């Protein structure tokens, strides 16, 4: 039996097309070439591309990459972001990596705060400004005062404050004192 013909108008001309049965296009499994591409970029030192692509695709497919290798890639990228003072972006990578780096979002970091412009260490009596360049400095998420000495902050949400104030807060609370909803209870 001959297959039916169908009439289609293209540019005001009438042509007859013969519709035939076609085999379905086979599914393409892109996981193997994608995994190879991620390994290639990581080997070239491009952890930004490697981790960014993995973060986007991790919810869509399971790639056969050892967890230790993924963790190493992500930690290297987080360290790179932190070296460039992109702490908020580093916290986002930690958050998006889920359980792979989840333990990092529950750790705090303590440091002596200095002016971000001139690098001069700040003292409590200097108020809300650097004595040298008169620029605004960090405020405590609990008391709202200037943090001029030791400071702790959550790597998960980026909020922080005076080390002593935060230790007091987390004796009775698990959530961020600023009210962002993050569970920073590991400070």
């Amino acid at each position: 039996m001959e297959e039916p013909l169908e009439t289609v108008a293209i540019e005001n001309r009438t042509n007859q097309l013969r519709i035939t049965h076609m085999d379905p296009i086979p599914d393409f499994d892109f996981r193997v070439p994608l995994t190879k591409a991620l390994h290639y970029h990581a080997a070239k030192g491009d952890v930004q591309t490697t981790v960014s692509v993995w973060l986007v695709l991790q919810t869509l497919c399971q790639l056969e990459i050892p967890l230790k290798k993924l963790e190493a890639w992500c930690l290297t990228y987080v360290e790179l972001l932190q070296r460039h003072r992109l702490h908020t972006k580093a916290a986002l990578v930690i958050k998006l990596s889920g359980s792979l780096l989840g333990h990092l979002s529950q750790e705090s970091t303590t440091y002596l705060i200095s002016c971000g412009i001139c690098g001069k260490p700040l003292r409590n009596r200097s108020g809300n400004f650097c004595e040298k360049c008169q620029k605004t400095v960090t405020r405590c998420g609990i008391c709202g005062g200037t943090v001029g000495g030791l400071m702790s902050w959550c790597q998960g949400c980026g909020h922080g404050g005076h080390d002593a104030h935060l230790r007091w807060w987390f004796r009775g609370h698990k959530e961020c004192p600023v009210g962002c909803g993050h569970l920073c209870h590991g400070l």
Side-chain angles (χ1 to χ4, degrees), residues 33-51 53 73:
L34 179 60
T35 301
K36 287 180 181 179
L38 292 179
H39 282 283
Y40 172 82
H41 283 281
K44 294 292 184 185
D46 185 4
V47 291
Q48 180 177 8
T49 298
T50 305
V51 173
V53 169
W73 292 346

Side-chain angles (χ1 to χ4, degrees), residues 7-29:
T7 303
V8 178
I10 301 173
E11 297 178 342
N12 293 328
R13 294 188 340 215
T14 303
N15 293 325
Q16 290 188 348
L17 299 176
R18 184 172 298 270
I19 308 294
T20 60
H21 175 71
M22 290 180 52
D23 291 329
I25 298 172
D27 290 336
F28 177 71
D29 187 3

Side-chain angles (χ1 to χ4, degrees), residues 7 21 25 30 40 77 108 111 116 128 135 140 143-144 163 167:
T7 303
H21 175 71
I25 298 172
F30 62 90
Y40 172 82
Y77 186 41
S108 66
Y111 65 99
N128 196 29
K135 299 293 178 186
C140 177
C143 74
D163 188 60
R167 290 186 190 282

Side-chain angles (χ1 to χ4, degrees), residues 6 23 31 69 76 94 106 135 147 164:
E6 185 172 308
D23 291 329
R31 291 177 296 176
K69 187 171 288 266
T76 302
I94 291 169
Q106 301 305 319
K135 299 293 178 186
V147 179

Side-chain angles (χ1 to χ4, degrees), residues 48-141:
Q48 180 177 8
T49 298
T50 305
V51 173
S52 298
V53 169
W54 175 75
L55 286 173
V56 169
L57 295 177
Q58 70 172 329
T59 58
L60 301 175
C61 66
Q62 272 301 75
L63 299 177
E64 293 185 27
I65 302 171
L67 289 179
K68 289 289 186 190
K69 187 171 288 266
L70 277 174
E71 183 179 28
W73 292 346
C74 291
L75 287 172
T76 302
Y77 186 41
V78 166
E79 181 184 337
L80 178 68
L81 290 169
Q82 289 174 339
R83 265 188 290 170
H84 290 283
R85 297 183 182 176
L86 298 169
H87 300 291
T88 304
K89 299 296 182 193
L92 181 61
V93 169
I94 291 169
K95 178 181 177 182
L96 293 176
S97 69
S99 62
L100 188 66
L101 297 181
H103 62 282
L104 292 180
S105 69
Q106 301 305 319
E107 296 175 5
S108 66
T109 303
T110 303
Y111 65 99
L112 177 63
I113 194 165
S114 299
C115 177
I117 296 170
C118 69
K120 180 177 178 167
L122 299 173
R123 296 180 291 199
N124 286 332
R125 67 179 181 85
S126 62
N128 196 29
F129 297 98
C130 171
E131 293 174 346
K132 184 176 178 184
C133 61
Q134 300 293 304
K135 299 293 178 186
T136 304
V137 294
T138 306
R139 293 191 165 273
C140 177

Side-chain angles (χ1 to χ4, degrees), residues 150-164:
L150 286 180
M151 174 184 179
S152 291
W153 87 94
C154 173
Q155 292 181 1
C157 68
H159 296 120
H162 293 106
D163 188 60

